[in-house]
Amino acid sequence: MVLLVTSDNEQFQTEKDIVERSVLIKNMLEDVGESDQPIPLPNVSSSVLKKVTQPSTGPTEIDVRGRYLSTASTTVESPSRPPILEQSQDETRKRTTDISEWDQKFITVDQEMLFEIILAANYLDIKSLLCRRWLQDGSQHDQGARPPEEIRKLFNIVNDFTPEEEAQIKKENEWAEDR
Amino acid sequence: MPYSDVPTHLECYRGNDPVAVPLQASTAKAETACPDLRSRKLIMLSTLESDRAHVVALAAQILDLENSISALRVEQAQVQSRLDSYKYPVLTLPTEIVTQIFIRVLPPYPGYLSLTGTLSPTSLTHLCHQWREIAISTPSLWRTIDLSDNNIPLEQRVNIFSLWSERSRSCPLSVEFDGEDGINSMSEVMALIAPQRTRLEHLKLGIFPSHLPAIKNSMPVLHHLHLELRNPRSGSEIKPTPFCGLPLLRSVVLNDLAASWVTLPWTQLTSLGLYWIHIHECVPVLQQTSNLIHCELRLCHSRRVHGSMIILPSLESLVLNGPDYIQPIMECLRYFITPSLRLLAIHERLLGKDPARSLTEFVSKSGGNIREVCITGKRSVPETSYRDALQSVPRLYFSHPDSE
């Protein structure tokens, strides 16, 4: 077990294999070796650490509240391995199942918590928790980013393009909008 | 007093049912005759009255609690709504975090990206100036370029290719072009791709043989090549094309024409797919790919028999496929010697006239390493015959597209 101390001075006894998801903590533990000394995490609050260190049986993603969560899924073929027909189909099925289960493991949080977790994940160096789901298209998994207008609305992002820039940008994507 | 202790005939005292009157009269007589019975009845009535009062009290308590819960739910919804309406100043996120998130939003390299739309990195440049800058200055977002979508005019695709290859700076590229646009358009696209040869890591092309010279030399980081050659117009001559300068090439997929006319550094390959090809056309290639680990053949029907053996000492997975209409006269497995094989997937039609025997012989000559066998295609032999024949294989399963 590893003792972690958060920015609000709460102490957490946490399983070593869970905290080692953080590259930062893993490196610290390797540097100091076996020790009872608590590890201070001055940039992580207790509420965030609870989310970050909660045990899970599979990958957990975190999404912002107030949007549609999908269980639909698609797969991405990697050409680095040959598309071995039946094996690929089998893998595809497996991955589809994984993704559906994975979808169900989404935690929805408010925006403040989402970005606290993102900042903590960056500080702790937990790449899998660098949540991207909030930027993704809600209707289909791995179908790229949500439409810009939707992202702007969700996060109050001001469209600061000039009309000329806007026209140029629209041109960049006009073939997609036609279809 | 428990209700069960009360004599059931006392129920007759309830109501003024005329049918019950004689019963009441007879029960009254019974009570007079037996004072204990009367006393038990009074106790029971008292218990019922008490329970009725208790039920009323409980209902009142439940109502109170329900009112409280409703009030709490309303309050919770209000607080949650306040939380949800909070907008995080997302533009204050550090650039390196936004960059990492952008990279993860799109399918991982070298997975499919479209040139336009939400599956394109371009969509990340449309939000605001700040994020546009971040997206444009992240080279790895721009390194997967699929030029096959002929719904997008060629001119637009050419422009996008130029723009993305510039934005991706020195990153290795994954480029796909399955030209349906005609030979002139293909030439234009190949002229675009050729100068980027030194950056190509994954390349998938559907082209005419005349375009091969543009890419046959020096692709120092090429790892995966998928090449489908189209039949040239009548009169055009196909020349054998040796590729050179591909030190990192490990994975190749070729169609029949490409397999016949292209020469690659076969011995360095660990993965090979040969599509829509006759078994005798595969042999000259497979005899040179001594380091293969994965191999997939999608075979056409062939009456021609060849006598050579294919020895693949490192091969771990072999997939042999063909159309359902193929005649079951080919017994492909007898040509293969694969002592390291762990996974076999094979279309039943490629197992010859006696599929179970053919498989058993192959498994026994493969040294007992096979862990997994998958029979694909329409089956004529029952599953139990395979299971009986392949008891030494830990995992045996069956797959057919129609059954999925």
Side-chain angles (χ1 to χ4, degrees), chain B residues 296-354:
Chain B
E296 178 187 0
L297 306 180
R298 296 185 189 176
L299 296 169
C300 300
H301 177 64
S302 184
R303 286 182 181 279
R304 193 163 145 190
V305 176
H306 66 89
S308 313
M309 298 302 285
I310 301 163
I311 304 168
L312 299 169
S314 307
L315 196 74
E316 291 180 10
S317 67
L318 175 63
V319 179
L320 298 174
N321 234 308
D324 275 335
Y325 58 78
I326 205 166
Q327 293 296 312
I329 55 166
M330 295 167 66
E331 195 180 326
C332 292
L333 288 180
R334 65 190 169 102
Y335 303 117
F336 287 90
I337 296 177
T338 54
S340 306
L341 198 72
R342 298 178 64 78
L343 182 149
L344 171 70
I346 186 163
H347 195 289
E348 189 185 81
R349 296 293 174 113
L350 300 173
L351 286 167
K353 288 178 178 166
D354 187 353

Side-chain angles (χ1 to χ4, degrees), chain B residues 98-267:
Chain B
V98 177
T99 303
Q100 288 298 322
I101 292 168
F102 278 2
I103 290 169
R104 283 169 173 73
V105 163
L106 297 170
Y109 176 82
Y112 173 77
L113 287 187
S114 63
L115 295 183
T116 54
T118 56
L119 251 183
S120 158
T122 305
S123 66
L124 298 170
T125 67
H126 293 180
L127 285 146
C128 62
H129 275 118
Q130 188 181 322
W131 279 13
R132 182 175 171 84
E133 279 302 310
I134 294 173
I136 287 174
S137 57
T138 305
S140 58
L141 286 178
W142 306 97
R143 57 181 170 157
T144 303
I145 314 176
D146 183 354
L147 295 164
S148 303
D149 186 352
N150 54 19
N151 288 315
I152 302 174
L154 187 68
E155 187 191 350
Q156 173 91 349
R157 281 181 277 164
V158 166
N159 289 339
I160 293 174
F161 185 89
S162 303
L163 187 65
W164 288 24
S165 50
E166 190 184 315
R167 284 179 181 171
S168 55
R169 296 186 204 159
S170 59
C171 277
L173 296 175
S174 171
V175 173
E176 182 169 341
F177 176 60
D178 191 359
E180 297 286 345
D181 308 72
I183 192 157
N184 291 334
S185 306
M186 276 193 207
S187 302
E188 191 176 343
V189 172
M190 290 307 291
L192 206 63
I193 293 173
Q196 302 294 343
R197 277 199 323 271
T198 54
R199 296 174 57 197
L200 295 172
E201 191 175 34
H202 299 267
L203 180 61
K204 181 175 180 183
L205 293 174
I207 52 174
F208 287 113
S210 57
H211 297 117
L212 284 176
I215 51 151
K216 67 175 185 171
N217 291 322
S218 187
M219 290 188 272
V221 296
L222 191 72
H223 176 78
H224 175 82
L225 173 67
H226 184 142
L227 186 61
E228 299 199 10
L229 288 184
R230 302 184 189 291
N231 272 313
R233 285 171 296 183
S234 55
S236 303
E237 191 190 348
I238 305 181
K239 293 177 186 165
T241 308
F243 277 61
C244 58
L246 311 171
L248 298 183
L249 187 69
R250 296 291 179 272
S251 167
V252 167
V253 175
L254 303 172
N255 71 343
D256 56 343
L257 210 56
S260 302
W261 294 103
V262 166
T263 306
L264 293 167
W266 303 113
T267 50

Side-chain angles (χ1 to χ4, degrees), chain A residues 67-151:
Chain A
R67 49 160 298 184
Y68 169 69
L69 290 178
S70 163
T71 53
S73 58
T74 56
T75 54
V76 182
E77 235 186 79
S78 166
S80 59
R81 202 163 174 235
I84 292 179
L85 186 65
E86 293 306 329
Q87 190 185 13
S88 302
Q89 283 178 358
D90 223 42
E91 278 173 4
T92 299
R93 262 194 304 272
K94 185 175 178 297
R95 290 169 69 183
T96 304
T97 311
D98 287 348
I99 290 166
S100 298
E101 286 167 4
W102 180 69
D103 266 340
Q104 289 162 15
K105 291 200 176 79
F106 276 80
I107 303 166
T108 51
V109 294
D110 58 78
Q111 288 194 16
E112 174 65 19
M113 177 57 81
L114 173 76
F115 289 102
E116 284 295 319
I117 291 169
I118 288 174
L119 292 169
N122 187 56
Y123 167 69
L124 294 170
D125 202 350
I126 309 176
K127 289 280 187 283
S128 61
L129 269 178
L130 271 174
C131 323
R132 55 182 177 175
R133 184 75 187 179
W134 52 278
L135 259 186
Q136 281 178 326
D137 190 323
S139 58
Q140 282 178 301
H141 181 78
D142 269 358
Q143 290 296 293
R146 309 165 83 173
E149 303 75 32
E150 212 181 307
I151 298 176

